[in-house]
Amino acid sequence: MKVLVIGNGGREHTLAWKLAQSARVQTVYVAPGNGGTALEGGLHNVPITEPDALADFAERERIALTVVGPEAPLAAGVVDQFRARGLRIFGPTQAAAQLESSKAFSKAFMKRHGIPTADYETFTDAAAAHAYVDAQGAPIVVKADGLAAGKGVVVATTLAEAHAAIDDMLGANPLGVQHNAGGARVVIESFMAGEEASFIVVSDGHHVQALATSQDHKRIGDGDTGPNTGGMGAYSPAPVVTPNVHARVMREIIQPTIAGMARDGIPFTGFLYAGLMIDAHGRPRTVEFNARLGDPETQVLLMRLKSDFFELLMHATDGTLDKASLEWDRRVALVVVMAAAGYPAAPRKGDVITGIPKPTAEAHVFHAGTTLDAQGRLLSSGGRVLGVAALGESVLEAQQRAYEFMRPIQFAGAQWRRDIGHRAIRQRP
Ligand code: GLY
């Protein structure tokens, strides 16, 4: 069987790597892929990004299954286009992907179906939004309605920050938010205290299989300080998701969401990522939904997955996920992201990368922003450049192994956090 993975980041390198391990998979194409997918055995990059051209390729090459990595092609309707041509693809339709692509849609959905989340109001008028923030006080959360590559959420600790976020999101748009129909809109919601975790499931529209739990580190700096990024590291499992919290998340958030989407006539097929806030009493609430796998959560989840990933996604596209079962490595997986100089504000590209070690049974370097030049040199080409992932008997062992594996890797201006997993290490020494 031939498989196609759409995307070019660390998540897609990992997806392609895992799919290539299936006995039934002969070739994995990655469109457009990166330097890592160009170098990894069994993977082949194809320089295509347009949905029509991707569907032409899938038809021509008799691709058995296409898997979509990032949110942008989902929001653009790539799944609808493939399905209209009778091509098997795993991901949500454009309508279902609104759970991520429109914060206003997602909050209204949660309210309608009684799914626990923060109280909120939606605004298109800046004066009304400013007045609301003044009345509510800080801390408060301001979210752009449309996709913004992870930059559309401001957790404002002061009123001044909240007012500035409203002006940015409803005005000049320096964050480059992709506005939905009707123009710029913000969701303003109350601040939720607690610990965050990533809860990702696979759904065929009706049935659900939960993946292992994970947590990521969104801030650029050690001690979870500085600006937000796409994620500077992650680990799995997440100790904060105890068996009791897990059961509550499934019962109160995941199952009502899948059932609610089906009832609303837009069944959700794909990876559903609930970003959770878990309070001191173990009460989970939804911070946001993503309609895709997390990055870099995918790297740690698929390091731990022992089952055949291709078989799982074939079940998910056949509507028979209830027949699938998942087996996980009981060890901890941890990934440390190496980012480019200037990330997240203005990442520098074109730095030569050297020293990437060969994979072992316990450690693997997944590429994110890398490319091969005409001379075969590996260059940085994005904000997050590499993810160094490792397995260990404990969080500490996985952490030590990942940092040790990273040691020979060099590129000018590389920045990484030294404390990935610190919260889990504190909770479970
Ligand atoms: N790591 C966060 C995300 O994928 O959205």
Side-chain angles (χ1 to χ4, degrees):
M1 299 263 195
K2 294 180 186 175
V3 174
L4 171 65
V5 172
I6 298 176
N8 67 348
R11 168 183 43 215
E12 289 77 31
H13 183 182
T14 316
L15 276 169
W17 165 81
K18 192 69 195 172
L19 286 162
Q21 291 171 14
S22 170
R24 287 177 67 200
V25 173
Q26 170 204 355
T27 305
V28 180
Y29 294 102
V30 192
N34 59 31
T37 52
L39 293 168
E40 184 101 40
L43 314 187
H44 302 277
N45 286 354
V46 284
I48 307 175
T49 51
E50 290 310 312
D52 267 343
L54 288 164
D56 290 343
F57 176 82
E59 218 164 63
R60 198 169 58 242
E61 291 294 328
R62 299 180 188 282
I63 299 290
L65 170 72
T66 298
V67 184
V68 190
E71 60 276 23
L74 296 169
V78 70
V79 169
D80 310 63
Q81 290 197 35
F82 269 60
R83 285 193 187 160
R85 292 170 63 167
L87 297 165
R88 187 191 288 251
I89 186 165
F90 187 60
T93 59
Q94 184 175 41
Q98 287 181 99
L99 274 184
E100 174 168 8
S101 65
S102 170
K103 300 291 178 226
F105 172 92
S106 155
K107 293 294 285 192
F109 171 85
M110 285 189 259
K111 193 170 178 177
R112 201 163 59 246
H113 292 280
I115 294 158
T117 188
D119 292 335
Y120 78 105
E121 292 288 342
T122 302
F123 298 91
T124 51
D125 176 58
H130 287 302
Y132 181 76
V133 158
D134 282 332
Q136 296 293 313
I140 194 158
V141 181
V142 184
K143 294 181 174 175
D145 178 49
L147 291 179
K151 292 175 289 184
V153 177
V154 173
V155 181
T157 50
T158 64
L159 281 178
E161 278 178 80
H163 288 305
I166 292 167
D167 287 336
D168 283 353
M169 292 176 192
L170 290 181
N173 195 13
L175 304 172
V177 178
Q178 291 166 42
H179 296 317
N180 289 311
R185 198 181 287 119
V186 289
V187 166
I188 303 182
E189 61 180 39
S190 44
F191 172 79
M192 294 188 283
E195 188 169 338
E196 284 192 70
S198 307
F199 199 101
I200 305 176
V201 303
V202 184
S203 176
D204 62 10
H206 300 279
H207 311 104
V208 172
Q209 291 275 350
L211 300 182
T213 60
S214 57
Q215 272 176 294
D216 75 340
H217 289 266
K218 294 212 170 57
R219 306 286 187 147
I220 187 82
D222 285 355
D224 299 311
T225 54
N228 261 329
T229 69
M232 292 298 289
Y235 49 97
S236 170
V240 66
V241 184
T242 60
N244 183 40
V245 171
H246 196 286
R248 285 192 67 172
V249 175
M250 288 301 289
R251 194 173 61 239
E252 296 171 21
I253 296 174
I254 300 297
Q255 279 152 0
T257 300
I258 298 302
M261 291 293 280
R263 239 184 358 261
D264 289 353
I266 39 174
F268 188 94
T269 53
F271 298 104
L272 178 68
Y273 169 153
L276 303 177
M277 186 65 78
I278 298 156
D279 73 12
H281 308 290
R283 178 174 61 140
R285 285 186 288 173
T286 315
V287 176
E288 63 178 6
F289 283 122
N290 294 316
R292 53 169 175 81
L293 281 165
D295 191 345
E297 288 93 330
T298 304
Q299 287 81 323
V300 288
L301 295 179
L302 296 190
M303 283 287 283
R304 290 188 61 216
L305 182 65
K306 290 170 100 173
S307 317
D308 188 312
F309 194 48
F310 175 75
E311 295 297 344
L312 175 75
L313 300 187
M314 291 301 270
H315 273 300
T317 43
D318 277 336
T320 55
L321 254 190
D322 52 330
K323 308 276 186 304
S325 62
L326 291 177
E327 200 191 334
W328 298 95
D329 194 315
R330 57 171 180 74
R331 289 174 294 174
V332 173
L334 183 141
V335 63
V336 182
V337 168
M338 297 181 81
Y343 182 71
R348 190 172 74 199
K349 295 180 183 170
D351 288 306
V352 177
I353 306 163
T354 59
I356 296 183
K358 284 199 169 29
T360 69
E362 290 157 339
H364 200 104
V365 178
F366 295 107
H367 294 225
T370 72
T371 187
L372 287 180
D373 72 2
Q375 291 89 52
R377 291 180 313 170
L378 190 66
L379 305 179
S380 63
S381 61
R384 291 186 292 172
V385 178
L386 299 169
V388 183
L391 289 162
E393 292 296 331
S394 63
V395 187
L396 191 60
E397 189 180 282
Q399 185 196 56
Q400 282 168 348
R401 190 166 280 144
Y403 283 110
E404 188 58 38
F405 206 61
M406 177 197 282
R407 206 187 288 272
I409 305 175
Q410 289 193 348
F411 56 94
Q415 43 168 341
W416 64 90
R417 281 182 56 165
R418 270 77 179 166
D419 65 346
I420 298 301
H422 70 87
R423 238 178 286 119
I425 289 168
R426 226 176 32 240
Q427 285 163 2
R428 280 192 190 165

